[in-house]
Amino acid sequence: MAAPRWSASGPWIRGNGQGFGSLFTLVSKPFCSAAAASTAINAQRLAEKLRAQKREQDTKKEPVSTNAVQRRVQEIVRFTRQLQRVHPNVLAKALTRGILHQDKNLVVINKPYGLPVHGGPGVQLCITDVLPILAKMLHGHKADPLHLCHRLDKETTGVMVLAWDKDMAHQVQELFRTRQVVKKYWAITVHVPMPSAGVVDIPIVEKEAQGQQQHHKMTLSPSYRMDDGKMVKVRRNRNAQVAVTQYQVLSSTLSSALVELQPITGIKHQLRVHLSFGLACPILGDHKYSDWNRLAPQKLSVGTLKKLGLEQSKARYIPLHLHARQLILPALGSGKEELNLVCKLPRFFVHSLRRLRLEMPNEDQNENNEAKCLGAQ
């Protein structure tokens, strides 16, 4: 049997298999010792590297502001980032604390700000990912995953309906598709819609916006335009979709308003586009649709910034103030009564209302005094 050949990386064994046990005994100790030493060195280097990265992150942390409002803005930013890093079990548990309604057919949750419904580029965690975990928390380990009945934008908070089985999910989806569901949203707007109540009936189409950074946005595609003081009919864009929004101002000041919105149709970003481009009243915190040509933080007046206690440089952190306030579903299955689902406002929304001196309808004031219990940020 040939003697073992050694190399810089450790022992290399050759032979016909006989006497392998005794030879392994001879070389195993130095081999294990070398491997253990190498592992210890690598672990030490990794630990040092992680500590260095932690120190570097700590030095880059944004200083804590002495202004209460700016601290609240920083909290919302941190909360949104944390949602993408938490374990799915933690997120599912948080969603159970915000359940608005539960029966044998449906589970209705309060969707928090900054949480996407579906996955996509850059999305680490979304509601779809935690539906199986949420079902098990509510109905035990043998429960089938819950199913989405509709969607909300990442930045929108409020009522979201889930179904226990596919058939019920399809039934609810059909109600949405055929416009049998009453949907009411609340939004804080920059400027005040005129008139104070009405209907915006302007088609919407997606277009590429030309600017320093090319991007796509939804925009209006009106049937008429003004030309030298005359109304001229415009050739219809074949990609334009019918979009109808009913609105009503609930409270207002000279520079802002609390508006109730009832979308009759369900086009992508419909409420944001109709408010910003149709009524010239963008939603507070809508950094995408406040300006057509630019992707930049929303520009706010000095008066509004002063009320919010913010500087313009911090405006980019203001969250979108759009809340899915209420859904009214027709009777489902063997039920005989419609289902009226109402969701309280998140804390940041209530705080902005107070700072902007906007009043809520009387029936909602008592409810939102306890908004901290929602678990929505």
Side-chain angles (χ1 to χ4, degrees):
M1 182 175 66
R5 182 180 299 175
W6 296 85
S7 66
S9 60
W12 180 49
I13 304 172
R14 296 180 60 188
N16 57 7
Q18 296 178 355
F20 181 79
S22 60
L23 185 57
F24 180 76
T25 303
L26 291 173
V27 301
S28 60
K29 288 186 177 180
F31 179 82
C32 294
S33 300
S38 175
T39 302
I41 292 172
N42 290 337
Q44 184 178 0
R45 288 175 180 171
L46 178 60
E48 291 174 353
K49 183 177 179 181
L50 291 174
R51 283 194 291 268
Q53 290 177 350
K54 181 69 167 58
R55 286 194 297 270
E56 184 179 354
Q57 289 176 357
D58 290 341
T59 57
K60 290 182 178 180
K61 280 184 178 179
E62 189 174 349
V64 178
S65 174
T66 57
N67 182 293
V69 180
Q70 293 192 12
R71 285 201 306 271
R72 184 63 185 146
V73 169
Q74 291 172 355
E75 288 175 11
I76 294 171
V77 173
R78 286 196 297 270
F79 173 75
T80 304
R81 291 171 180 167
Q82 288 168 2
L83 279 175
Q84 291 295 302
R85 295 196 295 264
V86 299
H87 192 277
N89 288 2
V90 177
L91 177 57
K93 188 66 176 178
L95 293 177
T96 61
R97 291 195 291 266
I99 288 179
L100 306 172
H101 173 83
Q102 183 179 352
D103 58 31
K104 63 179 181 180
N105 296 318
L106 304 174
V107 174
V108 183
I109 62 173
N110 175 15
K111 179 192 168 299
Y113 176 84
L115 182 63
V117 175
H118 298 287
V123 175
Q124 298 176 3
L125 187 63
C126 61
I127 287 181
T128 307
D129 294 335
V130 300
L131 292 183
I133 303 171
L134 182 60
K136 287 178 172 60
M137 287 184 175
L138 297 175
H139 268 194
H141 291 290
K142 295 184 179 180
D144 293 327
L146 286 157
H147 301 272
L148 290 171
C149 295
H150 62 117
R151 59 160 294 168
L152 292 174
D153 290 341
K154 174 183 175 181
E155 297 86 359
T156 304
T157 58
V159 182
M160 169 156 268
V161 181
L162 310 172
W164 281 112
D165 59 65
K166 283 187 177 181
D167 290 340
M168 180 55 62
H170 291 155
Q171 184 178 339
V172 176
Q173 289 165 4
E174 185 65 13
L175 293 175
F176 275 94
R177 191 187 68 81
T178 55
R179 303 172 188 172
Q180 297 183 56
V181 179
V182 177
K183 299 172 287 183
K184 293 184 180 181
Y185 292 74
W186 281 12
I188 297 178
T189 62
V190 180
H191 310 310
V192 182
M194 293 295 290
S196 59
V199 176
V200 182
D201 184 359
I202 308 176
I204 291 177
V205 68
E206 186 171 20
K207 288 186 177 180
E208 182 177 354
Q210 300 296 330
Q212 292 182 347
Q213 181 181 355
Q214 288 190 345
H215 55 281
H216 288 80
K217 289 182 181 179
M218 307 302 287
T219 189
L220 301 178
S221 180
S223 302
Y224 294 87
R225 63 179 174 83
M226 296 300 294
D227 188 4
D228 292 334
K230 296 181 180 180
M231 188 176 292
V232 180
K233 188 171 178 62
V234 179
R235 183 177 180 181
R236 184 182 180 278
N237 188 320
R238 62 181 180 181
N239 295 321
Q241 298 173 285
V242 174
V244 182
T245 302
Q246 185 176 344
Y247 73 92
Q248 179 181 357
V249 175
L250 301 178
S251 174
S252 66
T253 63
L254 292 176
S255 58
S256 58
L258 172 63
V259 183
E260 183 176 81
L261 303 156
Q262 187 172 334
I264 308 304
T265 54
I267 308 303
K268 177 183 176 181
H269 297 169
Q270 172 181 321
L271 300 179
R272 298 164 68 179
V273 172
H274 274 172
L275 281 172
S276 185
F277 302 147
L279 295 171
C281 297
I283 298 174
L284 179 64
D286 193 346
H287 308 292
K288 181 170 185 174
Y289 288 103
S290 292
D291 189 296
W292 166 249
N293 290 315
R294 297 192 309 154
L295 279 177
Q298 188 176 44
K299 196 78 172 176
L300 297 173
S301 68
V302 175
T304 299
L305 289 170
K306 186 176 180 180
K307 287 180 180 178
L308 293 173
L310 294 173
E311 300 174 358
Q312 180 59 47
S313 61
K314 301 295 184 183
R316 66 184 183 275
Y317 295 127
I318 298 176
L320 181 72
H321 287 62
L322 179 62
H323 178 69
R325 166 69 178 170
Q326 183 179 17
L327 284 181
I328 302 177
L329 294 172
L332 295 168
S334 59
K336 296 181 180 179
E337 295 183 359
E338 64 183 18
L339 193 59
N340 186 11
L341 306 165
V342 180
C343 184
K344 297 177 185 177
L345 296 171
R347 283 188 289 170
F348 75 84
F349 200 115
V350 175
H351 192 78
S352 295
L353 287 174
R354 290 172 181 164
R355 297 288 301 194
L356 295 170
R357 300 182 180 88
L358 292 169
E359 297 180 357
M360 289 181 288
N362 292 331
E363 62 269 22
D364 297 297
Q365 288 178 352
N366 292 333
E367 293 180 3
N368 286 285
N369 284 336
E370 302 175 358
K372 293 181 180 180
C373 300
L374 286 175
Q377 301 295 319

